[in-house]
Amino acid sequence: RQAADREPAAAGKRPEGFSLELRGISFNYASNSIKGMYAVPPINISVQAGQMVCFPLRSSLGTNTLFKLISGFLLPTQGQILVPNRWRIIYMPVVPIMFDGTLMYNLMFSERGRLHGREQVFEICRALGMSSYLLYNDDYDVGSNGCCLKFSDRVTISITRALLHDVDLLMISSALDVLGERHGLKVLRYLAQYTKQQGLTDE
């Protein structure tokens, strides 16, 4: 079994012509002994900075496994993953992770997150469709693993936290599908607007 390298670009620089490149990567679990049965079939992808990529739900591509490969949690069976050095990569699983504590603690869970003002934090929350009763309710107790929150608000909090962390690559696994078409499109439109505001794309 051949493990591929995660080859970084020069520190502080984005590679010319692409932001992320997958070169012929594939992955199959050791427990899968059937020849040709892949968790991630051979794939080549080049993703430009500011580009949004969606994978069909019913495709043969194992998106959860693919995201774990890009995040570095798994090594591909073959191929190469080229990621710019020092990129902040966040993988958001199907069920977003919440921390015990207050709403604001969850939103600003990092030193980088705490650099942002309260007004900016809730402006993002509002744009992403957070429930109105949570807006500016800093001390709201989210409960154990977010049990006091609606699923849609857990998604909103996770995305907001990623943006406050100045994420370079955000990978969302199926969570938007649970929001319904209208809310999911609202989130996607805001993310497209966000990338434009960050100067990542002119489109």
Side-chain angles (χ1 to χ4, degrees):
R1 170 169 166 167
Q2 177 184 357
D5 299 323
R6 286 170 54 85
E7 297 184 358
K13 291 181 60 180
R14 297 178 191 270
E16 293 184 6
F18 64 85
S19 295
L20 167 73
E21 187 169 349
L22 311 182
R23 294 180 177 175
I25 71 157
S26 65
F27 181 83
N28 57 358
Y29 291 97
S31 59
N32 191 345
S33 59
I34 304 176
K35 186 176 181 180
M37 292 292 290
Y38 293 97
V40 176
I43 185 173
N44 292 282
I45 298 178
S46 180
V47 181
Q48 305 294 327
Q51 187 175 3
M52 195 175 297
V53 179
C54 300
F55 298 104
L57 257 181
R58 301 185 185 281
S59 71
S60 59
L61 180 65
T63 51
N64 287 331
T65 304
L66 176 63
F67 291 165
K68 289 176 183 177
L69 289 168
I70 295 172
S71 300
F73 296 129
L74 296 172
L75 286 174
T77 303
Q78 60 184 13
Q80 290 181 311
I81 301 175
L82 296 113
V83 183
N85 195 26
R86 298 183 183 177
W87 254 28
R88 287 177 289 274
I89 299 176
I90 294 179
Y91 164 50
M92 188 173 140
V94 178
V95 179
I97 296 171
M98 295 288 107
F99 305 101
D100 295 355
T102 65
L103 172 63
M104 186 57 76
Y105 176 75
N106 272 272
L107 287 168
M108 304 181 78
F109 186 77
S110 71
E111 288 296 327
R112 187 176 296 274
R114 287 188 280 274
L115 296 175
H116 300 269
R118 178 173 180 265
E119 192 65 37
Q120 182 184 6
V121 171
F122 283 110
E123 187 64 32
I124 296 173
C125 291
R126 180 186 289 109
L128 290 172
M130 175 179 277
S131 297
S132 58
Y133 74 92
L134 289 176
L135 294 173
Y136 300 100
N137 195 354
D138 304 38
D139 296 326
Y140 182 85
D141 188 350
V142 305
S144 178
N145 198 27
C147 65
C148 297
L149 296 168
K150 294 193 299 185
F151 186 86
S152 59
D153 290 321
R154 295 175 68 172
V155 173
T156 299
I157 291 169
S158 292
I159 295 176
T160 301
R161 187 166 57 212
L163 299 184
L164 294 175
H165 195 67
D166 294 334
V167 62
D168 294 295
L169 177 62
L170 175 60
M171 298 178 290
I172 304 175
S173 179
S174 303
L176 296 186
D177 300 309
V178 185
L179 300 182
E181 183 177 359
R182 190 171 184 177
H183 192 175
L185 286 174
K186 181 176 184 176
V187 171
L188 290 175
R189 289 192 189 100
Y190 179 78
L191 291 176
Q193 175 189 336
Y194 175 84
T195 58
K196 188 173 182 179
Q197 289 173 343
Q198 298 301 306
L200 296 176
T201 178
D202 296 324
E203 298 180 1

